[in-house]
Amino acid sequence: MSISPARRVADSLLDSVLEQHRALEEALDGIPASIEPRDKAAGHRIAATVLRRLGSLDAVMEPFLRRQPPAPALRALRIGAAELLLLGTPPHAAVSAAVSIVPRPLAGLVNAVLRRVAEHGAAALEELDAERLDTPNWLWASWHAAHGSAVRAIAAAHRNEAPLDLSLKPGATPPEGATLLPTGTARMPAGTRITELPGFAAGELWAQDAAAALPARLLAVKPGELVADLCAAPGGKTAQLAAAGARVVAVEREASRMPRLRENMARLKLMPDLVNADVIGWKPVALFDAILLDAPCTATGTIRRHPDVPYLKRSKDVAVLAAQQRNLLVAACKLLKPGGRIVFATCSLQAEEGEAHLAHLPEGMRLDPIRDEELPGIGATAAGTMRTRPDMGMDGFFAMRLVRA
């Protein structure tokens, strides 16, 4: 039996995420160049579907399994079940393709279980509480505590692939077919290839979720202001600030992320100063008029785009990252001129990485409340901060704006 290249890619990606705890994008970059682009893309789509619906798929198959199968068989079963129940693959093709990627001693098990899934799985899937099953327990509990009844809508939003959101240079024309959101983001349908859009090669646009574009807007830089973008890679926010006419210093700690930052700025024909340094301990030549700090976090607000996040992060990571964020914020605020402003943001749905920071403002800083009109179609929170969620049609972000006395 010939092995399906796309399913082999899916199998490799799932092994990387679920067994080796590697990021899906990192694993995708490691797929051999000999694999056809269409097979690589198809394998990625299958793996992402499995990750989005892992709990539901396992629940459907559970009645047909006497015990937990070996890891290679379990991956093949999940791939086959996803194709049968969610991707519309014809039963014969889905079953035979899944069987082709397991060692011969496991082929009978995979074949038998998937035939049962093909016969009974669709009805069983309809009866499941998919939102709850597809969300790890610790995330569900934390989101319920932070967002109340919205937890179910958040989980439901994670079941669907996100659209392609674009930020445009001032004066650039949105691509044909784009929907212009109230916040200024141009939205294309999910699956759109950005490299095929006319404005991409011309350096007129870049991919950036609608929520991710808001912190830079809230900083409201003026032409000529000296502005720092801290934790800058891959550069979407740097591009926003530079395109608005600010003199931008983009700081990134990870040397491995600098090439992509440089490449993106070169394509966009923007020339910020790029600095490879750790914000904590960094000594710039001059203090800044404004700073944007999009701090490292658990990234639980980006699950629509990164369905591997629930399987790479753990509850214990939240407190560690929140402490790092407080340290970064303290260090960043020391780089501001008197009267200077900073927007602190995280792409997290965890309250510890967002709202909880209001209780620990750095010395000499005060909250500059965000106004409803600054977030058209969204509005500010009662506390004067920004909170977006996936059920609003964008990534989950928190942002607050502070001013130095």
Side-chain angles (χ1 to χ4, degrees), residues 177-208:
T179 299
L180 198 62
L181 304 184
T183 55
T185 288
R187 174 162 290 177
M188 301 294 291
T192 302
R193 295 181 181 273
I194 188 172
T195 54
E196 297 177 1
L197 297 177
F200 180 81
E204 296 180 346
L205 52 83
W206 59 95
Q208 188 175 33

Side-chain angles (χ1 to χ4, degrees), residues 208-290:
Q208 188 175 33
D209 186 85
L214 296 173
R217 295 179 187 275
L218 294 173
L219 197 60
V221 298
K222 301 176 181 64
E225 282 191 312
L226 182 61
V227 179
D229 180 17
L230 308 181
C231 312
K237 298 175 181 65
T238 301
Q240 286 180 279
L241 300 172
R247 294 180 293 140
V248 181
V249 179
V251 184
E252 173 55 46
R253 185 182 69 175
E254 302 297 333
S256 61
R257 305 187 76 189
M258 292 299 292
R260 186 179 178 194
L261 180 59
R262 291 191 188 94
E263 289 166 7
N264 285 338
M265 294 306 104
R267 180 181 64 80
L268 295 170
K269 301 177 180 64
L270 298 170
M271 293 183 293
D273 290 334
L274 305 183
V275 177
N276 180 203
D278 191 333
V279 172
I280 297 177
W282 179 55
K283 303 294 184 183
V285 175
L287 297 178
F288 294 94
D289 297 300

